[in-house]
Amino acid sequence: MMELDLDTVSEIRKKAVEFLFEFGPKILGALLIFIIGRIVIGFLIKTIDKLFVKYNIDASLSSFLKSFARAILYVLLFITIASNLGVELTSFIAILGAAGLAIGLALQGSLSNFAGGVLILIFKPFRVGDTIEAQGTLGSVETIDILYTKVRNFDNRVVTIPNGALANNSIINLSEKPTRRVEMSIGVAYGTDLKKTRQIILDILKKDERIHADPAPVVLFTSFGDSSLDLSVRCWADAGDLWPVYWDNMEALKEAFEANDIEIPFPQRDVNHYYPEGIPAAKVKGDSEGSQE
C-alpha cells in the first residue's frame, strides 16, 4: 500500500483549504438563498391567494395561476442560485434552453396537459366545486392545476386526471344547470288501474315542496314488462336535491301502494314437468289417484 509523504499531504491540505475558502462561501450562500427563497415563495403564494379571495377570482383560475406562479418562482430561484455559484447567466440560459428542448420532447404529454389546462380555463367546461363525470370518474372538482385536475369521488377518494385527457374528451357537468330531472322507474302488476295509480303518484309528489311545479311532474306508461306494467315517473328539482328527492319519494310511493292495495310484482315462472313419454306429471298423478279409488 502506497504511503503519502509529508509534502503530498501538505499539498492536499493546502488545496482543500483553498477550495473551502474559494467555494465554501458560495455554497453556503447558495444554501442560504435556497432557504430564504422557499420562504419568500411561500409568502408570495399566500399573498396571491389572499388577493384572489379578496377580489373574488374564480376558484378554477386561482388554482391554475397559483400553480403556474409557483413553477415560475422556483425557476427564478434556481437561476439565482446558479448565478451565485459562478455559473455565467448566458451560459446557464443556453444550457437551460437546450435542456428545455430535450425535456420538451421527452415530456410531450406534460405539455399537452398544460395546454389542456389553459383550454379548460378559457372555455370553462367545469369549475372548482362542480360535479363532473369524465374518464370513468364521477365526483367533485377539487383543484385545477397546471397539469392535472383533482376530482374527489363520493367515497372520498381523490382521482388525479391529466388536463390533456379532460380537454380532448367528453365531460358531463352535473352542476352547470341549477335544476335536474328526477326519474323513477316503477312497475305495477297486470290488471292494476293505471289512472288510479297515476293519481296516487302525483298526489305523493305534490306533497314534496322540493319538487318544482313547472315543469309539472308526469307519470308515463312505458312498456309491458315480463311481470309488470312499467311506469316512468319524472319530476324536476334543484340539482342539490336530486338524490334526496329520489330516495324519499321512492319510499313514500311504496307505502302509498301498500295502503291502496296496489301490487308491486316480482318475476314469476310456471314450471311444468313432463315424463319422457311427453305426458304431463300432473295428469299422471291424477290418473294414479283415480285408479287407487
Side-chain angles (χ1 to χ4, degrees), residues 76-180:
L76 293 176
L77 175 60
F78 284 116
I79 290 176
T80 303
I81 292 172
S83 177
N84 182 73
L85 290 174
V87 179
E88 293 184 7
L89 193 58
T90 53
S91 301
F92 184 79
I93 292 175
I95 294 171
L96 191 63
L101 178 61
I103 292 171
L105 293 173
L107 301 177
Q108 294 183 32
S110 296
L111 294 176
S112 173
N113 292 338
F114 176 80
V118 173
L119 291 174
I120 289 170
L121 289 173
I122 292 174
F123 296 106
K124 292 182 173 61
F126 58 85
R127 303 170 185 268
V128 170
D130 285 357
T131 299
I132 65 170
E133 184 177 353
Q135 299 297 298
T137 298
L138 173 63
S140 175
V141 179
E142 286 203 328
T143 60
I144 303 174
D145 295 330
I146 58 175
L147 299 178
Y148 301 97
T149 292
K150 291 185 178 180
V151 178
R152 178 174 54 83
N153 59 25
F154 297 116
D155 59 358
N156 212 32
R157 292 182 296 172
V158 176
V159 181
T160 302
I161 305 176
N163 287 337
L166 288 175
N168 293 308
N169 290 282
S170 299
I171 301 170
I172 300 175
N173 190 330
L174 305 177
S175 300
E176 185 168 342
K177 299 300 181 181
T179 59
R180 296 275 306 278

Side-chain angles (χ1 to χ4, degrees), residues 7 32 42 53 138 173 181 183 222 265 279:
D7 291 338
L32 186 62
V53 172
L138 173 63
N173 190 330
R181 190 178 74 182
E183 185 164 353
T222 56
I279 303 172

Side-chain angles (χ1 to χ4, degrees), residues 34-292:
F34 177 74
I35 294 172
I36 295 174
R38 287 197 62 181
I39 295 172
V40 171
I41 289 173
F43 173 77
L44 290 175
I45 294 299
K46 288 181 180 178
T47 302
I48 292 171
D49 190 35
K50 290 179 180 177
L51 289 173
F52 286 160
V53 172
K54 180 179 179 181
Y55 292 102
N56 198 27
I57 303 298
D58 180 74
S60 304
L61 181 61
S62 170
S63 174
F64 184 88
L65 290 179
K66 283 190 294 183
S67 299
F68 187 71
R70 185 181 288 108
I72 294 297
L73 289 171
Y74 270 107
V75 169
L76 293 176
L77 175 60
F78 284 116
I79 290 176
T80 303
I81 292 172
S83 177
N84 182 73
L85 290 174
V87 179
E88 293 184 7
L89 193 58
T90 53
S91 301
F92 184 79
I93 292 175
I95 294 171
L96 191 63
L101 178 61
I103 292 171
L105 293 173
L107 301 177
Q108 294 183 32
S110 296
L111 294 176
S112 173
N113 292 338
F114 176 80
V118 173
L119 291 174
I120 289 170
L121 289 173
I122 292 174
F123 296 106
K124 292 182 173 61
F126 58 85
R127 303 170 185 268
V128 170
D130 285 357
T131 299
I132 65 170
E133 184 177 353
Q135 299 297 298
T137 298
L138 173 63
S140 175
V141 179
E142 286 203 328
T143 60
I144 303 174
D145 295 330
I146 58 175
L147 299 178
Y148 301 97
T149 292
K150 291 185 178 180
V151 178
R152 178 174 54 83
N153 59 25
F154 297 116
D155 59 358
N156 212 32
R157 292 182 296 172
V158 176
V159 181
T160 302
I161 305 176
N163 287 337
L166 288 175
N168 293 308
N169 290 282
S170 299
I171 301 170
I172 300 175
N173 190 330
L174 305 177
S175 300
E176 185 168 342
K177 299 300 181 181
T179 59
R180 296 275 306 278
R181 190 178 74 182
V182 184
E183 185 164 353
M184 296 170 275
S185 297
I186 297 174
V188 295
Y190 276 90
T192 301
D193 186 340
L194 291 184
K195 291 183 179 180
K196 176 184 175 183
T197 304
R198 180 179 288 110
Q199 191 57 52
I200 291 171
I201 294 172
L202 293 175
D203 289 342
I204 292 295
L205 298 181
K206 286 179 182 178
K207 295 177 182 178
D208 193 335
E209 296 180 353
R210 297 168 298 182
I211 295 177
H212 296 181
D214 185 21
V218 295
V219 180
L220 306 172
F221 173 52
T222 56
S223 65
F224 295 94
D226 291 339
S227 305
S228 63
L229 300 173
D230 297 329
L231 304 173
S232 177
V233 180
R234 300 176 183 178
C235 58
W236 289 83
D238 292 343
D241 292 332
L242 173 71
W243 289 112
V245 166
Y246 177 88
W247 293 321
D248 293 346
N249 283 281
M250 284 294 285
E251 185 172 346
L253 289 173
K254 176 185 179 298
E255 294 173 354
F257 286 172
E258 291 175 349
N260 288 273
D261 296 324
I262 295 177
E263 182 183 351
I264 302 173
F266 54 88
Q268 301 180 51
R269 294 290 184 272
D270 291 333
V271 179
N272 297 310
H273 180 208
Y274 286 83
Y275 284 100
E277 294 81 4
I279 303 172
K283 187 174 187 306
V284 171
K285 183 178 180 182
D287 293 343
S288 176
E289 291 175 350
S291 62
Q292 289 176 2

